[in-house]
PDB file of all heavy atoms in Angstrom:
ATOM      1  N   GLY G 247       0.842  -1.209   0.022  1.00  0.00           N
ATOM      2  CA  GLY G 247       0.068   0.019   0.032  1.00  0.00           C
ATOM      3  C   GLY G 247       0.797   1.184   0.021  1.00  0.00           C
ATOM      4  O   GLY G 247       0.499   2.312  -0.347  1.00  0.00           O
ATOM      5  N   ALA G 248       2.106   1.114   0.413  1.00  0.00           N
ATOM      6  CA  ALA G 248       2.957   2.320   0.420  1.00  0.00           C
ATOM      7  C   ALA G 248       3.777   2.467  -0.936  1.00  0.00           C
ATOM      8  O   ALA G 248       4.492   3.450  -1.090  1.00  0.00           O
ATOM      9  CB  ALA G 248       4.063   2.185   1.523  1.00  0.00           C
ATOM     10  N   GLU G 249       3.357   1.584  -1.893  1.00  0.00           N
ATOM     11  CA  GLU G 249       3.916   1.755  -3.273  1.00  0.00           C
ATOM     12  C   GLU G 249       5.408   1.471  -3.337  1.00  0.00           C
ATOM     13  O   GLU G 249       6.025   2.042  -4.130  1.00  0.00           O
ATOM     14  CB  GLU G 249       3.413   2.939  -3.995  1.00  0.00           C
ATOM     15  CG  GLU G 249       1.916   3.088  -4.029  1.00  0.00           C
ATOM     16  CD  GLU G 249       1.540   4.353  -4.688  1.00  0.00           C
ATOM     17  OE1 GLU G 249       2.408   5.398  -4.719  1.00  0.00           O
ATOM     18  OE2 GLU G 249       0.407   4.428  -5.260  1.00  0.00           O
ATOM     19  N   ASN G 250       5.911   0.635  -2.308  1.00  0.00           N
ATOM     20  CA  ASN G 250       7.222   0.130  -2.374  1.00  0.00           C
ATOM     21  C   ASN G 250       7.373  -1.275  -2.974  1.00  0.00           C
ATOM     22  O   ASN G 250       6.319  -1.971  -3.006  1.00  0.00           O
ATOM     23  CB  ASN G 250       7.821   0.104  -0.994  1.00  0.00           C
ATOM     24  CG  ASN G 250       7.786   1.438  -0.207  1.00  0.00           C
ATOM     25  OD1 ASN G 250       8.043   2.450  -0.833  1.00  0.00           O
ATOM     26  ND2 ASN G 250       7.422   1.436   0.987  1.00  0.00           N
ATOM     27  N   ILE G 251       8.531  -1.668  -3.324  1.00  0.00           N
ATOM     28  CA  ILE G 251       8.756  -2.967  -4.086  1.00  0.00           C
ATOM     29  C   ILE G 251       9.713  -3.782  -3.196  1.00  0.00           C
ATOM     30  O   ILE G 251      10.789  -3.263  -2.755  1.00  0.00           O
ATOM     31  CB  ILE G 251       9.161  -2.777  -5.438  1.00  0.00           C
ATOM     32  CG1 ILE G 251       8.259  -1.995  -6.395  1.00  0.00           C
ATOM     33  CG2 ILE G 251       9.502  -4.240  -6.116  1.00  0.00           C
ATOM     34  CD1 ILE G 251       8.835  -1.676  -7.706  1.00  0.00           C
ATOM     35  N   TYR G 252       9.380  -5.041  -2.960  1.00  0.00           N
ATOM     36  CA  TYR G 252      10.301  -5.986  -2.219  1.00  0.00           C
ATOM     37  C   TYR G 252      10.413  -7.234  -2.971  1.00  0.00           C
ATOM     38  O   TYR G 252       9.638  -7.596  -3.823  1.00  0.00           O
ATOM     39  CB  TYR G 252       9.646  -6.306  -0.810  1.00  0.00           C
ATOM     40  CG  TYR G 252       9.665  -5.043   0.130  1.00  0.00           C
ATOM     41  CD1 TYR G 252       8.635  -4.112   0.069  1.00  0.00           C
ATOM     42  CD2 TYR G 252      10.675  -4.948   1.072  1.00  0.00           C
ATOM     43  CE1 TYR G 252       8.692  -3.040   0.903  1.00  0.00           C
ATOM     44  CE2 TYR G 252      10.645  -3.863   1.913  1.00  0.00           C
ATOM     45  CZ  TYR G 252       9.630  -2.830   1.869  1.00  0.00           C
ATOM     46  OH  TYR G 252       9.666  -1.851   2.643  1.00  0.00           O
ATOM     47  N   ASN G 271       9.950   4.230  -1.758  1.00  0.00           N
ATOM     48  CA  ASN G 271       9.521   5.639  -2.058  1.00  0.00           C
ATOM     49  C   ASN G 271       9.618   5.695  -3.525  1.00  0.00           C
ATOM     50  O   ASN G 271      10.014   6.960  -4.000  1.00  0.00           O
ATOM     51  CB  ASN G 271      10.526   6.650  -1.387  1.00  0.00           C
ATOM     52  CG  ASN G 271      10.194   6.601   0.211  1.00  0.00           C
ATOM     53  OD1 ASN G 271       9.145   6.311   0.684  1.00  0.00           O
ATOM     54  ND2 ASN G 271      11.336   6.806   0.894  1.00  0.00           N
ATOM     55  N   GLY G 273       7.040   5.107  -5.617  1.00  0.00           N
ATOM     56  CA  GLY G 273       5.576   5.332  -6.044  1.00  0.00           C
ATOM     57  C   GLY G 273       5.111   4.294  -7.040  1.00  0.00           C
ATOM     58  O   GLY G 273       4.333   4.544  -7.943  1.00  0.00           O
ATOM     59  N   ALA G 274       5.537   3.007  -6.758  1.00  0.00           N
ATOM     60  CA  ALA G 274       5.132   1.977  -7.863  1.00  0.00           C
ATOM     61  C   ALA G 274       3.604   1.754  -7.773  1.00  0.00           C
ATOM     62  O   ALA G 274       3.008   1.620  -6.843  1.00  0.00           O
ATOM     63  CB  ALA G 274       5.878   0.616  -7.506  1.00  0.00           C
ATOM     64  N   VAL G 275       3.032   1.526  -9.025  1.00  0.00           N
ATOM     65  CA  VAL G 275       1.672   1.184  -9.156  1.00  0.00           C
ATOM     66  C   VAL G 275       1.439  -0.021  -9.896  1.00  0.00           C
ATOM     67  O   VAL G 275       0.276  -0.653  -9.806  1.00  0.00           O
ATOM     68  CB  VAL G 275       0.814   2.325  -9.850  1.00  0.00           C
ATOM     69  CG1 VAL G 275       0.833   3.683  -9.030  1.00  0.00           C
ATOM     70  CG2 VAL G 275       1.387   2.647 -11.160  1.00  0.00           C
TER      71      VAL G 275
END
Side-chain angles (χ1 to χ4, degrees):
E249 298 179 339
N250 301 321
I251 301 173
Y252 290 85
N271 298 323
V275 296

